[in-house]
Amino acid sequence: MKMNGVVVLLLRFLCLLGVCWMTSASVVLIGNNITLSFDDVEANFAPAIEGTGQCGILYLANPLDACSDLSNKVEKGSNITSPFALVIRGGCSFDDKVRRVQKAGFEAAIVYDNDDGFLVAMAGNAAGIKIHAVFVSKASGEILKKYTGSPDIELWLSPTFENSAWSIMAISFISLLAISAVLATCFFVRRYHVRRERPRSSRVREFHGMSRRLVKAMPTLIFTAVLDDNSTSRTCAVCLEDYTIGEKLRILPCHHKFHAFCIDSWLTTWRTFCPVCKRDARTTVGDLPASESTPLLSTSPSSVSSVLSCVRSRIASSSSIQIDTAAWTSPPASHAHSLASVPSIQPSVRSYHHSPSMSYS
């Protein structure tokens, strides 16, 4: 909100500068709910108006043509702020009018034309003249007469374009610096917020990743041939490329295999679970906790042995069936692979449960 307010104030300031640049008026009347500007031409014999101009209160000269000494003189030490005198053209020279206005204590003379015409540059002898003098049109003078003698109305004499060129250039340069400062502030504030959010996102990323030490501790093997009919036994589920002989594979606790480089990047950068079964790779190589999706029989040899032990105890407790314990000896090493496969174990277990008349010798 504060930044938007600064931008709005800057835009208003630039608009005001544009208005001052476009207008040709150098006499500005400012009062209660009124602002009027008039074109003028400075006198050649009077000091030039410099800087930001001069402000004062306008009074009507008496006599109006100022061809004789003015009766309404400004008392020295009075609290009148920069009194200006409004004088009409004609009756005497311009420099005589300005000298009499200066003698009466006024600080500027505004001479308006006594006939409709073009503005002219007042010429004359500059000796002894120390106050400003400008020339305005007849229409401007008639309007200014209505606001003379009012302390609530201020009259500004601003410098002409030739005298204020350097001032305008300086103001333009300062405005450019102000715009640059605002834009730079917006840029650095945005950059600060971005940098402030980066540590938070990095912490979240570190939370989802595993340490390389834990990943390197997982078992690996060198691919030689497809041994299991598994979804990850032929193709890496991360890069979707088939294994080639000699490549290094890493085995997760869920017994799924992947390219070592692929799964290491996955576990340390993105997530900590298996891309296939979504099991947390940080757990040990044990049995999965039971859930609705857990199969009735596991493919691990320990699970097969426990199932066979359960079936053996049930058959032994039956009085109508003779069990030869020799038939339940551990299978030879050559058949370990067949016992580990699910299709070969499940039919045999079903045969024990659904064939009560079966006998063994």
Side-chain angles (χ1 to χ4, degrees), residues 2 24 53 74 80 87 93 96 105 114 126 138 145 163 167-169 173 194 206 219 226 255 270 322 334 350:
K2 293 183 179 180
S24 60
V74 179
I80 300 177
V87 181
S93 62
D96 290 339
N114 57 355
K138 180 181 179 180
K145 285 174 62 176
N163 295 329
S167 300
I168 294 176
M169 291 179 62
F173 180 72
V194 171
E206 291 176 0
V226 179
H255 302 290
W270 298 103
Q322 300 276 339
S334 60
R350 291 195 189 98

Side-chain angles (χ1 to χ4, degrees), residues 210-221 248-253 260 263-264 267-268 281-285:
M210 291 179 61
S211 63
R212 293 187 177 274
R213 182 179 60 83
L214 294 177
V215 175
K216 295 298 182 182
M218 295 182 183
T220 59
L221 58 85
K248 182 180 180 181
L249 308 183
R250 190 173 301 281
I251 306 174
L252 298 188
I263 196 61
D264 290 355
L267 295 176
T268 58
R282 293 172 295 187
T283 58
T284 58
V285 187

Side-chain angles (χ1 to χ4, degrees), residues 50-210:
E50 299 178 352
T52 58
Q54 188 173 0
C55 177
I57 306 298
L58 185 62
Y59 295 92
L60 193 63
N62 187 18
L64 186 58
D65 57 2
C67 290
S68 60
D69 292 343
L70 274 62
S71 60
N72 54 339
K73 297 181 179 181
V74 179
E75 299 293 337
K76 294 183 179 181
S78 61
N79 295 328
I80 300 177
T81 303
S82 299
F84 298 162
L86 181 63
V87 181
I88 191 171
R89 179 184 182 180
C92 57
S93 62
F94 289 118
D95 55 338
D96 290 339
K97 294 177 182 292
V98 175
R99 285 189 182 92
R100 290 187 177 92
V101 169
Q102 178 179 315
K103 183 180 178 181
F106 293 94
E107 298 184 8
I110 294 90
V111 182
Y112 68 95
D113 201 350
N114 57 355
D115 193 7
D116 295 331
F118 297 101
L119 297 178
V120 297
M122 296 184 294
N125 187 5
I129 297 178
K130 300 179 181 179
I131 65 174
H132 304 296
V134 296
F135 184 79
V136 297
S137 64
K138 180 181 179 180
S140 301
E142 295 296 336
I143 296 175
L144 290 173
K145 285 174 62 176
K146 300 177 181 179
Y147 298 98
T148 57
S150 177
D152 297 332
I153 303 297
E154 294 181 348
L155 188 69
W156 280 87
L157 299 180
S158 60
T160 56
F161 176 77
E162 291 81 3
N163 295 329
S164 61
W166 289 105
S167 300
I168 294 176
M169 291 179 62
I171 293 175
S172 301
F173 180 72
I174 294 174
S175 302
L176 182 61
L177 288 180
I179 295 175
S180 302
V182 171
L183 294 179
T185 303
C186 296
F187 172 77
F188 284 111
V189 168
R190 174 62 180 169
R191 188 176 181 182
Y192 170 76
H193 286 296
V194 171
R195 287 190 173 184
R196 190 177 179 182
E197 294 296 332
R198 281 182 181 177
R200 187 179 304 173
S201 60
S202 62
R203 286 195 298 268
V204 173
R205 183 176 299 177
E206 291 176 0
F207 173 77
H208 286 295
M210 291 179 61

